Amino acid sequence: MLDTSNNHPTPARRKSILVTGGAGFLGSHLCEKLLAQGHHVICVDNLLTGQQRNIDHLRSNIRFTFIEHDVRAPIDLNVEEIYNLACPASPIHYQNDPIKTVQTCVLGAINMLELAAKQGAKILQASTSEIYGDPQVHPQPEHYWGNVNPVGVRSCYDEGKRCAETLFFDYARQEALNIRVARIFNTYGPRMKEDDGRVVSNFIAQALRNHPLTVFGDGSQTRSFCYVDDLVDGLISLMDAPNDVPAVMNIGNPSEIDVHSLANEIIRQCNSRSKLVNKPLPQDDPVRRKPDIQRARRYLNWEPATNLSQGLERTVAHFKNEMLKCEQAS
Ligand code: NAD
Ligand code: UDP
């Protein structure tokens, strides 16, 4: 557990850092780590999919500020670095209001880039492996341009995130902004919401209740899952890297697993009596996904330190604890 108290050694240079989407799953872990490094952190979030309880434990820290705000509207703040994470990440949430998702990706990026330009701040975009779509190159290196359906149900997110990358590069070329683009691959860990809809949280919640695990399609599709602490370290390494490193970096765990095997591993870890049940495969669900992380290894000296079994163990423990709290409260 990170020490998030106010008593931290002052870092070499204490910075004022904005994290948009800071009350979400990844954002809350990022805020926690940046505070633990001794920085000032401003968390901006409209609480669409994020929750106050993710940041409750940070509130007593005098270096932490929460502002409830929608990034589709401009905001003026004194900051030196911006991590732009604001955007729903789970397919059920980003498809719930696709127009809003595109607006969040595009207007949110423009507003944060304008703020960076005004403040002379360095800015990092939380991009995604979804920009590769249903990839025809495997594993996916950063120079691959992807295979994205521009008019499907996932397009609001995939194309929104692609447009955000375009904006980042246009602001770098036209306004000389110092940009970073992290292409995040599937990440899991404590503070995923039980009703978030993503595969790891769904399967763990189902397994702990001995309910059937809902495998979409035949479960042969693959993903590569990164534990949240590794991901956060990767984001901070990219932000802190020298200016001559490539701006775009895959951040993920290259250990690939099919959804069927993931379900069985989670049943094992939960000591569950659950069975598997097959449900229809959602439209445009990518068949294979695995990051090529040679670039991050070479330029950031970063690679994941947590394997799936260790990460799932910590995530299952978190879910058990949350369920216990719910039972005690009811
Ligand atoms: P999340 O849904 O838990 O967090 C997103 C946060 O953004 C939430 O707190 C939400 O309330 C906030 N938000 C959404 N729209 C907003 C708006 N218009 N204005 C202000 N705040 C808004 O998701 P997450 O998994 O923490 O993802 C964080 C970021 O990382 C997202 O940009 C996502 O696209 C990216 N990403 C995540 C993953 C992953 O596996 N977790 C993979 C690829 C990319
Ligand atoms: N999935 C599944 N059962 C679920 C939720 C998801 O089989 O209850 C599958 C989904 O079809 C996809 C994979 O798990 O193939 C990862 O889904 P998730 O929504 O977590 O992430 P993404 O599709 O965005 O990579």
Side-chain angles (χ1 to χ4, degrees):
M1 187 70 180
L2 283 170
D3 176 8
T4 51
S5 68
N6 297 319
N7 312 319
H8 283 292
T10 313
R13 210 175 70 72
R14 179 169 275 172
K15 292 177 282 197
S16 180
I17 302 176
L18 169 61
V19 178
T20 76
F25 160 51
L26 295 184
S28 61
H29 286 274
L30 177 61
C31 289
E32 193 173 288
K33 181 83 190 237
L34 293 169
L35 285 170
Q37 290 182 339
H39 301 295
H40 289 273
V41 175
I42 303 173
C43 163
V44 162
D45 201 299
N46 69 350
L47 302 177
L48 176 71
T49 51
Q51 322 180 78
Q52 295 272 11
R53 61 199 293 239
N54 286 345
I55 50 169
D56 274 347
H57 63 299
L58 308 177
R59 297 284 193 139
S60 59
N61 192 318
I62 52 166
R63 287 180 283 102
F64 181 73
T65 308
F66 172 67
I67 302 172
E68 189 168 341
H69 173 82
D70 191 316
V71 294
R72 292 177 298 159
I75 190 165
D76 200 7
L77 297 163
N78 277 322
V79 287
E80 294 156 83
E81 286 181 357
I82 303 170
Y83 289 85
N84 186 35
L85 271 66
C87 183
S90 166
I92 56 165
H93 291 299
Y94 69 66
Q95 289 170 24
N96 184 43
D97 188 342
I99 296 172
K100 197 166 167 181
T101 300
V102 177
Q103 288 173 339
T104 296
C105 289
V106 177
L107 297 178
I110 292 172
N111 288 327
M112 291 310 122
L113 287 159
E114 286 292 331
L115 178 63
K118 189 173 172 198
Q119 294 288 323
K122 209 194 279 187
I123 181 165
L124 180 147
Q125 166 68 356
S127 190
T128 167
S129 50
E130 291 286 328
I131 67 100
Y132 299 121
D134 190 10
Q136 292 172 330
V137 170
H138 194 80
Q140 295 80 55
E142 289 86 348
H143 57 76
Y144 177 48
W145 288 357
N147 176 38
V148 176
N149 175 358
V151 294
V153 291
R154 293 175 85 99
S155 313
C156 58
Y157 183 75
D158 300 8
E159 296 289 17
K161 290 283 188 178
R162 285 172 70 94
C163 184
E165 288 201 11
T166 306
L167 284 161
F168 267 65
F169 275 80
D170 286 336
Y171 271 79
R173 284 183 285 258
Q174 206 171 319
E175 305 289 336
L177 247 63
N178 189 346
I179 62 152
R180 316 284 151 118
V181 174
R183 291 188 181 149
I184 302 170
F185 284 64
N186 297 64
T187 301
Y188 69 100
R191 287 195 212 128
M192 292 187 96
K193 283 200 293 186
E194 200 192 310
D195 62 354
D196 180 73
R198 282 179 273 192
V199 68
V200 172
S201 42
N202 273 7
F203 283 179
I204 293 178
Q206 291 162 343
L208 289 176
R209 296 201 166 87
N210 294 308
H211 292 171
L213 269 62
T214 51
V215 172
F216 298 165
D218 64 4
S220 62
Q221 70 273 31
T222 70
R223 296 292 186 270
S224 305
F225 295 96
C226 186
Y227 188 65
V228 61
D229 290 356
D230 289 332
L231 192 279
V232 165
D233 286 346
L235 293 185
I236 295 174
S237 299
L238 179 56
M239 182 66 106
D240 291 348
N243 291 342
D244 58 356
V245 305
V248 178
M249 207 77 71
N250 285 341
I251 306 287
N253 190 320
S255 174
E256 187 182 7
I257 185 170
D258 64 77
V259 166
H260 188 271
S261 305
L262 175 73
N264 284 325
E265 173 62 14
I266 289 177
I267 287 175
R268 192 187 65 77
Q269 288 245 0
C270 296
N271 289 321
S272 171
R273 297 188 303 279
S274 295
K275 302 280 180 238
L276 308 186
V277 59
N278 291 95
K279 298 275 180 188
L281 190 66
Q283 191 191 324
D284 293 339
D285 201 280
V287 176
R288 297 185 77 186
R289 184 185 288 156
K290 168 179 168 160
D292 176 333
I293 60 162
Q294 287 182 67
R295 201 181 264 190
R297 281 197 177 108
R298 176 170 169 201
Y299 290 100
L300 307 181
N301 196 24
W302 173 89
E303 65 180 346
T306 316
N307 67 33
L308 186 63
S309 176
Q310 295 164 327
L312 285 178
E313 199 178 311
R314 291 176 212 166
T315 312
V316 168
H318 166 83
F319 271 74
K320 275 187 185 163
N321 201 28
E322 289 297 302
M323 285 180 179
L324 198 65
K325 277 196 235 162
C326 271
E327 276 168 29
Q328 283 164 350
S330 62

